[in-house]
PDB file of all heavy atoms in Angstrom:
ATOM      1  N   ALA A 183     -55.854  -1.323 -20.652  1.00 96.00           N
ATOM      2  CA  ALA A 183     -55.927  -2.646 -21.267  1.00 96.00           C
ATOM      3  C   ALA A 183     -57.277  -2.817 -21.961  1.00 96.00           C
ATOM      4  O   ALA A 183     -58.242  -2.100 -21.667  1.00 96.00           O
ATOM      5  CB  ALA A 183     -55.743  -3.736 -20.208  1.00 96.00           C
ATOM      6  N   ALA A 184     -57.352  -3.768 -22.864  1.00 95.00           N
ATOM      7  CA  ALA A 184     -58.612  -4.090 -23.533  1.00 95.00           C
ATOM      8  C   ALA A 184     -59.577  -4.711 -22.519  1.00 95.00           C
ATOM      9  O   ALA A 184     -59.145  -5.222 -21.479  1.00 95.00           O
ATOM     10  CB  ALA A 184     -58.340  -5.052 -24.683  1.00 95.00           C
ATOM     11  N   PRO A 185     -60.868  -4.692 -22.808  1.00 93.00           N
ATOM     12  CA  PRO A 185     -61.844  -5.286 -21.878  1.00 93.00           C
ATOM     13  C   PRO A 185     -61.556  -6.745 -21.521  1.00 93.00           C
ATOM     14  O   PRO A 185     -61.863  -7.184 -20.422  1.00 93.00           O
ATOM     15  CB  PRO A 185     -63.176  -5.153 -22.615  1.00 93.00           C
ATOM     16  CG  PRO A 185     -62.991  -3.969 -23.511  1.00 93.00           C
ATOM     17  CD  PRO A 185     -61.536  -4.027 -23.933  1.00 93.00           C
ATOM     18  N   ASP A 186     -60.910  -7.479 -22.420  1.00 96.00           N
ATOM     19  CA  ASP A 186     -60.596  -8.878 -22.129  1.00 96.00           C
ATOM     20  C   ASP A 186     -59.291  -9.033 -21.337  1.00 96.00           C
ATOM     21  O   ASP A 186     -58.850 -10.148 -21.059  1.00 96.00           O
ATOM     22  CB  ASP A 186     -60.542  -9.713 -23.408  1.00 96.00           C
ATOM     23  CG  ASP A 186     -59.356  -9.368 -24.309  1.00 96.00           C
ATOM     24  OD1 ASP A 186     -58.570  -8.443 -23.994  1.00 96.00           O
ATOM     25  OD2 ASP A 186     -59.210 -10.041 -25.353  1.00 96.00           O
ATOM     26  N   GLY A 187     -58.669  -7.907 -20.989  1.00 94.00           N
ATOM     27  CA  GLY A 187     -57.437  -7.942 -20.207  1.00 94.00           C
ATOM     28  C   GLY A 187     -56.167  -7.897 -21.031  1.00 94.00           C
ATOM     29  O   GLY A 187     -55.068  -7.836 -20.472  1.00 94.00           O
ATOM     30  N   THR A 188     -56.290  -7.915 -22.348  1.00 97.00           N
ATOM     31  CA  THR A 188     -55.114  -7.822 -23.204  1.00 97.00           C
ATOM     32  C   THR A 188     -54.433  -6.474 -22.978  1.00 97.00           C
ATOM     33  O   THR A 188     -55.081  -5.431 -23.023  1.00 97.00           O
ATOM     34  CB  THR A 188     -55.509  -7.958 -24.690  1.00 97.00           C
ATOM     35  OG1 THR A 188     -56.195  -9.196 -24.871  1.00 97.00           O
ATOM     36  CG2 THR A 188     -54.289  -7.905 -25.585  1.00 97.00           C
ATOM     37  N   LEU A 189     -53.140  -6.514 -22.731  1.00 97.00           N
ATOM     38  CA  LEU A 189     -52.393  -5.286 -22.477  1.00 97.00           C
ATOM     39  C   LEU A 189     -52.341  -4.426 -23.729  1.00 97.00           C
ATOM     40  O   LEU A 189     -52.289  -4.947 -24.844  1.00 97.00           O
ATOM     41  CB  LEU A 189     -50.974  -5.614 -22.026  1.00 97.00           C
ATOM     42  CG  LEU A 189     -50.839  -6.439 -20.748  1.00 97.00           C
ATOM     43  CD1 LEU A 189     -49.373  -6.727 -20.458  1.00 97.00           C
ATOM     44  CD2 LEU A 189     -51.510  -5.757 -19.568  1.00 97.00           C
ATOM     45  N   ASN A 190     -52.312  -3.100 -23.540  1.00 97.00           N
ATOM     46  CA  ASN A 190     -52.131  -2.226 -24.699  1.00 97.00           C
ATOM     47  C   ASN A 190     -50.657  -2.254 -25.103  1.00 97.00           C
ATOM     48  O   ASN A 190     -49.821  -2.889 -24.458  1.00 97.00           O
ATOM     49  CB  ASN A 190     -52.670  -0.816 -24.451  1.00 97.00           C
ATOM     50  CG  ASN A 190     -51.805   0.041 -23.544  1.00 97.00           C
ATOM     51  OD1 ASN A 190     -50.661  -0.282 -23.229  1.00 97.00           O
ATOM     52  ND2 ASN A 190     -52.361   1.155 -23.114  1.00 97.00           N
ATOM     53  N   THR A 191     -50.328  -1.573 -26.174  1.00 98.00           N
ATOM     54  CA  THR A 191     -48.968  -1.604 -26.726  1.00 98.00           C
ATOM     55  C   THR A 191     -47.923  -1.155 -25.706  1.00 98.00           C
ATOM     56  O   THR A 191     -46.858  -1.770 -25.586  1.00 98.00           O
ATOM     57  CB  THR A 191     -48.896  -0.708 -27.977  1.00 98.00           C
ATOM     58  OG1 THR A 191     -49.871  -1.172 -28.912  1.00 98.00           O
ATOM     59  CG2 THR A 191     -47.524  -0.750 -28.615  1.00 98.00           C
ATOM     60  N   ILE A 192     -48.223  -0.103 -24.980  1.00 98.00           N
ATOM     61  CA  ILE A 192     -47.256   0.417 -24.001  1.00 98.00           C
ATOM     62  C   ILE A 192     -47.085  -0.562 -22.853  1.00 98.00           C
ATOM     63  O   ILE A 192     -45.957  -0.886 -22.449  1.00 98.00           O
ATOM     64  CB  ILE A 192     -47.673   1.807 -23.494  1.00 98.00           C
ATOM     65  CG1 ILE A 192     -47.720   2.798 -24.660  1.00 98.00           C
ATOM     66  CG2 ILE A 192     -46.739   2.292 -22.388  1.00 98.00           C
ATOM     67  CD1 ILE A 192     -48.410   4.112 -24.326  1.00 98.00           C
ATOM     68  N   GLN A 193     -48.183  -1.061 -22.313  1.00 98.00           N
ATOM     69  CA  GLN A 193     -48.100  -2.027 -21.219  1.00 98.00           C
ATOM     70  C   GLN A 193     -47.324  -3.279 -21.645  1.00 98.00           C
ATOM     71  O   GLN A 193     -46.491  -3.779 -20.884  1.00 98.00           O
ATOM     72  CB  GLN A 193     -49.501  -2.425 -20.761  1.00 98.00           C
ATOM     73  CG  GLN A 193     -50.269  -1.310 -20.084  1.00 98.00           C
ATOM     74  CD  GLN A 193     -51.714  -1.676 -19.867  1.00 98.00           C
ATOM     75  OE1 GLN A 193     -52.409  -2.083 -20.801  1.00 98.00           O
ATOM     76  NE2 GLN A 193     -52.180  -1.520 -18.640  1.00 98.00           N
ATOM     77  N   GLN A 194     -47.600  -3.753 -22.844  1.00 97.00           N
ATOM     78  CA  GLN A 194     -46.912  -4.945 -23.343  1.00 97.00           C
ATOM     79  C   GLN A 194     -45.412  -4.677 -23.510  1.00 97.00           C
ATOM     80  O   GLN A 194     -44.579  -5.523 -23.190  1.00 97.00           O
ATOM     81  CB  GLN A 194     -47.515  -5.421 -24.663  1.00 97.00           C
ATOM     82  CG  GLN A 194     -46.989  -6.765 -25.111  1.00 97.00           C
ATOM     83  CD  GLN A 194     -47.337  -7.876 -24.129  1.00 97.00           C
ATOM     84  OE1 GLN A 194     -48.504  -8.069 -23.800  1.00 97.00           O
ATOM     85  NE2 GLN A 194     -46.331  -8.612 -23.656  1.00 97.00           N
TER      86      GLN A 194
END
Side-chain angles (χ1 to χ4, degrees):
D186 69 358
T188 303
L189 300 178
N190 75 12
T191 303
I192 299 167
Q193 292 170 308
Q194 189 63 55

